[in-house]
Amino acid sequence: MFGTGLLKGLGVTLKHALETFEDDRESVPDRYKGSLDLGNNRKVIQQPIDQEGLLTIQYPEEKRLLPERFRYIPMLIWDSEKQEDRCTACGICAKVCPPQCIWIVRDSDENGKPVTRCSEFYIDAAVCMSCSFCVEFCPFDAIKMNHDYELAVYDRYPQLVYDMEELTVPLEYYAALWPTQYEEEQARRKEEEEQKRKQEEEKAARAAARQAAAAQKAEAGAGAPKRSAAELQALAKERAAQRQAQAQGQTADGGGDDDAAAAKRARMEDLKRRAQERARQRKLESGNGSS
Amino acid sequence: MTEATAVMDAPAGELGLAPELADAVVDTWAEDTEKAYVVAPDRILEVLTHLRDGQGYDFLSNLTCVDYEGYGGKLRAGIDARLEVVYNLYSTRRGGGSIALHVRVPEDDTVPSATSVYPGANLQEREVYDLFGVKFDGHPNLRRILLWDGFHGHPMRKDWHEAYYEEDAKPFRSRHPKGEYEFHEDKVPWAKNTTYPAGWDPDSWQEAVAYVPVSQAPQHENEPHLDTESIVVNLGPHHPSTHGVFRMLTRVEGETILALEPEMGYLHRNHEKIGERNTWLMNMPFTDRLDYLNSMSNNWAYALAVEKLADIEVPERAEYLRVIMAEFSRIVNHAWSIGFILNDLGALQTPALYAIEEREMILDLFEAVSGARMMCNYMRFGGVVRDLPEGWHEQAAYLANERLPRALDELDRLLTENEILMARGRGVGYLSVEDLISLSVSGPMIRAGGLAYDIRKAEPYGIYDRFDFDIPTLPNSDIYDRYYIRLLEARESVRILQQALRDIPEGEILGGRGGYTLRAPEGQVYGRLEAPKGELGFYLASDGKTQPWRYHVRSPSYINLNALGPMSVGYKVADAIVILGAIDIVLGEVDR
Ligand code: SF4
Ligand code: SF4
């Protein structure tokens, strides 16, 4: 009969309408289940995969919970344990970046010799295509993807050209955004460090053995040895032990030495504050610039 | 698949030419990668005709050009001709691989136009003319297509430099270790950059209305009792139902369309030129931006071509992941396109919003695995970049086994028997499937015309030969069938997903050597796959360096537009909107 198809279709819309209506009358509609209430009507919503009814999210009051792997604009990691930037200015990220929006200035010491540290690091966020290649290929875990996506400003330049200060975040911030990956990474880094330490020890031991051999030769040839082979070996052992103690001391520092911990916290807070300050400044500037 | 229509005397990929044509092939090239036959320019039409009629190569898939100026590789030693026009032919009846023909042209020579043999060469030859300056003899409408008429030069030539030109190849030296940041806008040398072609005066120039089919459209004769006049009407470029910035130039009489020409290029960014500056891997995130609804299939198509060229193995689990992502992406695309066909018909928003509910869920999954909803950048040469996160598999399985089948059924109930849709769609936009194929149209369009041609079956890539699925076809080749075929295809995708999610093994996801320092061996390759919109192919030529020498995208949206004019003639303006909608184009891919 003519019209049955239409009626069938209307049945579907009616079903949708009723379902949504019913869902909305519940104390917690489907779309708010498992969401985080921030008060003031502000929510962070995690849409369950089996959600029915209304799917719309009332941005900006309501926001989606971002998955860990969400990528937007890169950030640079300040290693708050070691109190240093992780970046070594190796330049790999600038090389792999497809739109070439990373600009790095490698620092140099007072003699003009390049050092493994950058003095400037810019990312043009207006050009960045959020591909995350820089993160994938950085050998030092120094650059990661930030989740902060509300970056609108009135002017592109200079507001969207982020400098090092704006890009830098403390390690803890990264750990909070990317918990799973952070854990894996920490484990891997520990292991690598352990291996490196072992290698160095072996190297030292080998060097000591070589020295000892040379010393023996020298002894056989002419003059008195400065130190005997046994002495040298003992020395190497002692040094290794010292290094180990030092390393342990450093890790223990984090919890043990109150002063150091406080200093670290202060430094982190300072970093955060400065980043916020810059962001505010940027928004202000861009506001003035256009009005 | 229908019966083979031609007697084959050569296996696919081998050129079994008749004796009188044997001397038309003057050379072969790049045997180590994908062998090409070099044909004398004046014999190319004979060879094409023979291959089409005698050997069943009825589908001109890819037609492009390569500029070898300054080429450093060994393979071209002793060859002077600067430009090389490339043809890739397939058989839709028999399936299987392609035959690659090349024609070498010195800089200012012409090549006979293939449009008389394959009408589908139309848009592709215009593109080659526009970007390389190769003139095609006998082309009915040879004018610029992506760029405007006052544009100076042919940008895909190696000696043409863009406004922001820095260096020929990335990475640019200025970024490290001195990194003096320069504001991009400051670098545009407007004064120096704007030059005009000889004899072209910007002040007196007016856009010519010499659009051949439009200006020479036949006078309408059906209604002799009416004193009417046909006029030229531009639909677009800013009309919402053109799906982006796209213009349909029409000659209408009353409401009836006498001739229609697609006008495009408003979103042109010279993707391919950027691609030749990029290293091989850098192009991956750029492919996301082609058909931005289907970044997963774009990624895969590009990875497939490079893997073919550089002979890279893909681990088992990665193959499964690729299938899963691509099929989810197909469902996303088809849901979207169904919604918007209905939108164009006037069923505003309700079907579209219902259709994209599940798209939301799928995009959430994409985001969880790759970090982005649409610009996924998920595949790499030799696999995929990340394994599934915790809980992903269960959610995907829930979608594939429960939610998606239910949603597709609901869409079916909502629309398929709807009388208005039938009245508007049945018999509208008809073009026979033979015509569609000769116009190089691919994808759901030809399956809605009754030909079961799907690259997943005709030339299986990845691991598609392991799955049990059908290629749905419909007989009528009209708008209604083009709507319905997408629903049927989405159902098949669900079937594939169920199997893939059930069978996916544990293991490696990324093979070893596809990193950012990849050097592909010298040669050429054409890799293609069945993207949701049709055949998506990448033609790559390499001189053995870290950048592609030539990077060409054969985009289905662009080439399917060949059929827009022929399909619209005789129907009303309101139908033309839906006919365009039912081709399902994305301008990011059309204009590149
Ligand atoms: S962020 Fe990483 S890759 Fe980039 S310069 Fe620093 S250490 Fe190298
Ligand atoms: S995310 Fe991609 S585009 Fe952005 S800075 Fe990193 S490499 Fe460059």
Side-chain angles (χ1 to χ4, degrees):
Chain A
M1 198 190 74
F2 186 82
T4 41
L6 267 173
L7 289 177
K8 234 182 179 179
L10 285 174
V12 174
T13 48
L14 185 67
K15 184 173 147 266
H16 261 250
L18 288 178
E19 272 175 6
T20 308
F21 180 70
E22 207 177 298
D23 184 40
D24 257 10
R25 279 167 52 100
E26 295 200 7
S27 61
V28 185
D30 228 15
R31 64 182 179 284
Y32 293 136
K33 280 190 188 130
S35 71
L36 209 71
D37 205 332
L38 304 179
N40 235 349
N41 262 341
R42 282 162 58 243
K43 287 192 178 70
V44 178
I45 293 188
Q46 184 171 29
Q47 283 183 318
I49 196 95
D50 55 354
Q51 185 199 325
E52 303 290 346
L54 197 66
L55 275 94
T56 323
I57 290 175
Q58 303 295 332
Y59 183 82
E61 287 82 17
E62 302 173 3
K63 290 177 186 169
R64 291 179 56 241
L65 180 71
L66 297 170
E68 172 173 343
R69 291 177 187 179
F70 180 78
R71 51 190 157 82
Y72 207 69
I73 300 288
M75 56 193 179
L76 291 172
I77 306 293
W78 165 264
D79 197 328
S80 16
E81 258 172 43
K82 296 199 182 127
Q83 293 285 301
E84 62 184 15
D85 285 310
R86 272 195 184 168
C87 176
T88 63
C90 71
I92 287 178
C93 55
K95 284 183 191 125
V96 297
C97 174
Q100 298 281 289
C101 66
I102 301 183
W103 308 68
I104 298 171
V105 182
R106 190 165 54 200
D107 212 355
S108 46
D109 61 13
E110 56 279 7
N111 304 325
K113 222 175 119 238
V115 293
T116 56
R117 177 179 69 213
C118 40
S119 59
E120 282 166 51
F121 194 112
Y122 295 106
I123 291 182
D124 189 338
V127 175
C128 171
M129 65 200 298
S130 310
C131 69
S132 165
F133 276 170
C134 47
V135 175
E136 253 167 67
F137 293 107
C138 172
F140 300 98
D141 301 316
I143 188 166
K144 298 288 164 194
M145 291 312 260
N146 204 334
H147 285 187
D148 187 8
Y149 55 85
E150 290 171 325
L151 307 175
V153 283
Y154 284 102
D155 291 311
R156 188 180 144 191
Y157 185 78
Q159 281 85 345
L160 278 177
V161 180
Y162 293 164
D163 62 14
M164 216 167 142
E165 204 170 324
E166 287 164 290
L167 289 168
T168 304
V169 298
L171 188 61
E172 288 76 2
Y173 176 79
Y174 163 59
L177 286 189
W178 294 74
T180 324
Q181 185 178 299
Y182 173 76
E183 289 298 321
E184 285 167 15
E185 220 168 78
Q186 277 316 87
R188 179 173 51 78
R189 285 174 75 86
K190 280 251 159 61
E191 202 172 297
E192 271 169 15
E193 255 164 46
E194 183 66 17
Q195 247 165 23
K196 207 160 127 199
R197 197 182 52 75
K198 268 201 199 123
Q199 263 168 11
E200 255 164 35
E201 248 175 50
E202 272 166 31
K203 212 161 99 189
R206 269 204 304 278
R210 253 205 314 281
Q211 250 177 22
Q216 252 168 3
K217 240 192 225 156
E219 192 180 17
K226 291 196 182 88
R227 281 187 182 126
S228 76
E231 246 180 336
L232 276 169
Q233 250 166 21
L235 202 67
K237 249 193 209 135
E238 199 181 314
R239 282 211 189 108
Q242 250 173 18
R243 251 198 313 277
Q244 203 163 3
Q246 247 171 24
Q248 269 166 1
Q250 254 171 21
T251 40
D253 252 14
D257 195 342
D258 279 353
D259 281 355
K264 220 174 289 169
R265 260 205 305 282
R267 159 82 184 153
M268 221 175 79
E269 285 306 315
D270 186 42
L271 260 172
K272 260 197 225 164
R273 193 183 48 72
R274 265 168 42 206
Q276 274 167 0
E277 188 59 32
R278 286 285 303 194
R280 213 177 13 253
Q281 193 64 25
R282 203 162 64 231
K283 277 180 191 147
L284 223 62
E285 269 167 28
S286 73
N288 290 341
S290 76
S291 57
Chain B
M1 188 150 290
T2 29
E3 282 285 299
T5 50
V7 184
M8 258 40 81
D9 45 14
E14 282 300 315
L15 206 57
L17 286 181
E20 69 271 18
L21 280 175
D23 61 337
V25 175
V26 293
D27 197 2
T28 57
W29 194 70
E31 282 84 354
D32 292 340
T33 49
E34 209 164 71
K35 186 172 172 182
Y37 297 90
V38 182
V39 181
D42 50 341
R43 307 294 297 278
I44 180 74
L45 292 190
E46 283 170 73
V47 174
L48 288 177
T49 313
H50 171 79
L51 288 172
R52 184 193 63 182
D53 298 339
Q55 295 195 32
Y57 284 100
D58 53 355
F59 190 71
L60 172 68
S61 162
N62 177 45
L63 190 163
T64 187
C65 184
V66 189
D67 179 8
Y68 282 107
E69 176 80 359
Y71 185 77
K74 293 189 203 73
L75 285 177
R76 293 267 310 177
I79 300 169
D80 298 334
R82 170 174 180 178
L83 300 161
E84 201 151 317
V85 180
V86 178
Y87 306 78
N88 285 92
L89 307 176
Y90 285 89
S91 167
T92 61
R93 306 281 159 183
R94 183 184 42 192
S98 86
I99 266 193
L101 302 179
H102 286 198
V103 170
R104 292 195 175 129
V105 223
E107 200 160 333
D108 299 315
D109 256 9
T110 57
V111 184
S113 165
T115 44
S116 60
V117 187
Y118 296 103
N122 183 355
L123 292 184
Q124 305 202 58
E125 282 184 354
R126 276 178 70 186
E127 183 187 328
V128 170
Y129 164 70
D130 193 357
L131 303 182
F132 288 91
V134 176
K135 295 201 182 64
F136 291 92
D137 244 356
H139 190 288
N141 186 18
L142 194 67
R143 54 193 179 88
R144 286 189 182 269
I145 185 162
L146 295 172
L147 300 164
W148 60 307
D149 294 332
F151 194 87
H152 196 193
H154 301 285
M156 284 309 293
R157 291 195 170 193
K158 290 286 177 184
D159 50 10
W160 187 93
H161 291 157
E162 67 275 23
Y164 286 22
Y165 176 78
E166 291 191 56
E167 284 173 54
D168 271 340
K170 291 174 186 174
F172 297 146
R173 282 184 292 260
S174 68
R175 302 298 195 268
H176 176 84
K178 292 221 178 57
E180 289 287 300
Y181 177 78
E182 257 184 287
F183 186 39
H184 268 65
E185 265 76 342
D186 290 342
K187 290 190 290 190
V188 186
W190 293 116
K192 276 182 272 160
N193 190 247
T194 316
T195 55
Y196 302 116
W200 195 84
D201 174 20
D203 293 326
S204 63
W205 181 75
Q206 280 197 324
E207 195 177 7
V209 195
Y211 306 107
V212 178
V214 175
S215 61
Q216 294 172 7
Q219 290 304 307
H220 196 38
E221 283 167 4
N222 291 346
E223 298 178 44
H225 57 284
L226 285 179
D227 183 17
T228 61
E229 198 185 332
S230 66
I231 53 169
V232 172
V233 174
N234 278 298
L235 293 158
H238 290 291
H239 196 282
S241 61
T242 52
H243 293 235
V245 200
F246 175 75
R247 183 154 63 111
M248 292 194 274
L249 183 74
T250 58
R251 178 167 283 269
V252 294
E253 182 167 291
E255 283 274 311
T256 310
I257 290 179
L258 302 180
L260 186 152
E261 273 273 296
E263 287 290 315
M264 53 203 102
Y266 299 94
L267 211 59
H268 181 61
R269 52 216 186 269
N270 219 344
H271 182 91
E272 295 177 5
K273 188 85 173 180
I274 299 172
E276 287 170 18
R277 300 241 189 286
N278 282 349
T279 61
W280 293 96
L281 185 64
M282 280 181 190
N283 278 329
M284 192 58 85
F286 279 91
T287 64
D288 290 343
R289 277 97 178 146
L290 289 167
D291 173 359
Y292 39 76
L293 296 175
N294 294 302
S295 59
M296 288 291 189
S297 353
N298 301 345
N299 283 183
W300 193 3
Y302 178 54
L304 207 64
V306 174
E307 281 156 12
K308 209 164 143 188
L309 182 63
D311 206 10
I312 298 174
E313 291 277 328
V314 181
E316 190 76 359
R317 183 172 170 83
E319 291 277 21
Y320 274 89
L321 287 173
R322 286 178 171 191
V323 169
I324 291 169
M325 300 306 164
E327 294 306 322
F328 267 133
S329 172
R330 195 181 310 276
I331 295 171
V332 165
N333 179 79
H334 285 355
W336 186 270
S337 102
I338 288 172
F340 281 85
I341 291 174
L342 267 291
N343 236 10
D344 290 345
L345 272 172
L348 272 182
Q349 305 306 352
T350 304
L353 289 179
Y354 282 13
I356 60 178
E357 260 183 22
E358 271 60 35
R359 172 177 183 263
E360 262 327 283
M361 302 299 168
I362 297 176
L363 292 193
D364 283 354
L365 286 185
F366 282 175
E367 191 179 36
V369 69
S370 76
R373 296 156 72 76
M374 292 171 79
M375 305 294 126
C376 295
N377 186 20
Y378 181 59
M379 310 215 180
R380 298 289 179 269
F381 312 134
V384 300
V385 66
R386 272 165 202 186
D387 210 336
L388 303 178
E390 188 81 4
W392 198 96
H393 188 274
E394 293 76 48
Q395 298 198 333
Y398 168 77
L399 271 190
N401 292 319
E402 290 175 44
R403 187 159 184 144
L404 286 175
R406 196 167 66 220
L408 291 174
D409 285 347
E410 191 170 83
L411 212 52
D412 201 356
R413 270 208 309 287
L414 178 70
L415 297 172
T416 306
E417 287 171 33
N418 185 306
E419 282 82 1
I420 304 174
L421 173 58
M422 286 194 182
R424 284 294 308 277
R426 277 270 177 245
V428 175
Y430 173 79
L431 206 60
S432 76
V433 71
E434 288 75 24
D435 285 348
L436 288 173
I437 287 169
S438 70
L439 286 167
S440 301
V441 173
S442 55
M445 297 261 290
I446 52 172
R447 294 191 284 274
L451 180 72
Y453 182 67
D454 185 316
I455 303 171
R456 288 174 295 173
K457 290 264 191 199
E459 196 195 358
Y461 52 92
I463 48 166
Y464 273 111
D465 44 2
R466 296 190 203 164
F467 298 109
D468 175 28
F469 67 103
D470 298 321
I471 303 173
T473 58
L474 291 170
N476 298 317
S477 200
D478 56 12
I479 290 181
Y480 182 84
D481 279 4
R482 282 175 209 144
Y483 142 72
Y484 195 46
I485 195 79
R486 296 197 159 93
L487 194 66
L488 297 179
E489 284 186 14
R491 288 224 167 98
E492 294 306 316
S493 293
V494 169
R495 267 177 79 190
I496 298 176
L497 277 173
Q498 289 168 349
Q499 298 168 44
L501 285 164
R502 184 194 62 207
D503 298 341
I504 181 170
E506 290 296 323
E508 283 283 297
I509 53 158
L510 190 57
R513 43 187 206 89
Y516 73 94
T517 49
L518 176 77
R519 279 170 195 271
E522 193 180 354
Q524 62 154 11
V525 78
Y526 177 69
R528 59 170 195 164
L529 54 67
E530 187 71 36
K533 293 184 164 63
E535 172 177 335
L536 172 64
F538 282 83
Y539 173 81
L540 306 169
S542 165
D543 58 347
K545 301 235 169 64
T546 45
Q547 284 83 12
W549 179 263
R550 177 81 175 102
Y551 163 86
H552 171 67
V553 188
R554 186 257 187 234
S555 77
S557 293
Y558 176 68
I559 292 167
N560 287 356
L561 280 175
N562 268 322
L564 180 62
M567 280 194 308
S568 305
V569 172
Y571 298 99
K572 306 286 185 207
V573 173
D575 293 329
I577 302 290
V578 200
I579 292 172
L580 174 70
I583 296 181
D584 187 16
I585 58 166
V586 155
L587 268 303
E589 187 181 62
V590 172
D591 293 341
R592 282 158 294 145

